[in-house]
Amino acid sequence: MHHREEKVETDFRLVVIRNEKTKKEFWFLTNEFELTSKEIADYYRKRWDIEVFFRFLKQELNLSHLVSLNKNGIEVMVYMTMIASMLLLIYKKANALGYKTAKRRIAMELRDMITEILIIFAGGDPGKVFKT
């Protein structure tokens, strides 16, 4: 195990929050002295929500990496992913399906629709490829 010891010149503040319902304590180390303990806890709670959101993007929507690393590119990708997830949830509800089944079926239907459009643009007849 490797570690290093060094003196840090920054002052830190320990904030201890106790959840009255569960009696759990949460300890936060911060260098922010202007905020109240509640504000510190709220920031960490929001940060956790962001972590859960990105886990959802990675696990459920197969987002493996960000296409862009600038602010605008990330915003566009997050908005597109949110729109796609809302459409998926609408599709799930409209077809009374489970989440994974809806995800598979909407992917297949989108693939077929895109294939039909490409066949039409190429001057072909999608009726010969897809039996309707």
Side-chain angles (χ1 to χ4, degrees), residues 50 53-55 57-58 61-82:
I50 292 168
F53 174 69
F54 276 98
R55 182 179 57 91
L57 294 178
K58 289 177 179 179
L61 300 177
N62 301 324
L63 179 71
S64 60
H65 64 280
L66 297 173
V67 175
S68 175
L69 296 180
N70 68 41
K71 183 180 182 235
N72 185 56
I74 291 171
E75 283 180 3
V76 168
M77 190 157 186
V78 168
Y79 284 130
M80 287 175 45
T81 305
M82 289 171 47

Side-chain angles (χ1 to χ4, degrees), residues 4-100:
R4 77 178 203 209
E5 293 180 22
E6 73 182 65
K7 185 176 180 181
V8 178
E9 297 295 328
T10 307
D11 290 328
F12 291 100
R13 172 181 166 203
L14 175 64
V15 177
V16 180
I17 304 293
R18 183 182 175 101
N19 184 323
E20 294 302 322
K21 292 179 185 175
T22 64
K23 305 298 184 205
K24 285 186 179 181
E25 278 188 355
F26 299 92
W27 291 30
F28 304 107
L29 191 60
T30 181
N31 61 352
E32 182 60 61
F33 290 91
E34 302 298 319
L35 300 175
T36 67
S37 297
K38 180 173 179 357
E39 290 171 326
I40 297 289
D42 288 342
Y43 280 128
Y44 274 93
R45 186 177 302 112
K46 289 175 187 172
R47 182 174 176 210
W48 181 249
D49 290 342
I50 292 168
E51 293 290 336
V52 169
F53 174 69
F54 276 98
R55 182 179 57 91
F56 168 77
L57 294 178
K58 289 177 179 179
Q59 289 182 348
E60 299 299 331
L61 300 177
N62 301 324
L63 179 71
S64 60
H65 64 280
L66 297 173
V67 175
S68 175
L69 296 180
N70 68 41
K71 183 180 182 235
N72 185 56
I74 291 171
E75 283 180 3
V76 168
M77 190 157 186
V78 168
Y79 284 130
M80 287 175 45
T81 305
M82 289 171 47
I83 290 167
S85 64
M86 284 187 263
L87 290 172
L88 179 59
L89 292 173
I90 291 167
Y91 182 89
K92 172 188 170 291
K93 186 169 183 156
N95 293 289
L97 299 169
Y99 182 79
K100 290 188 181 205

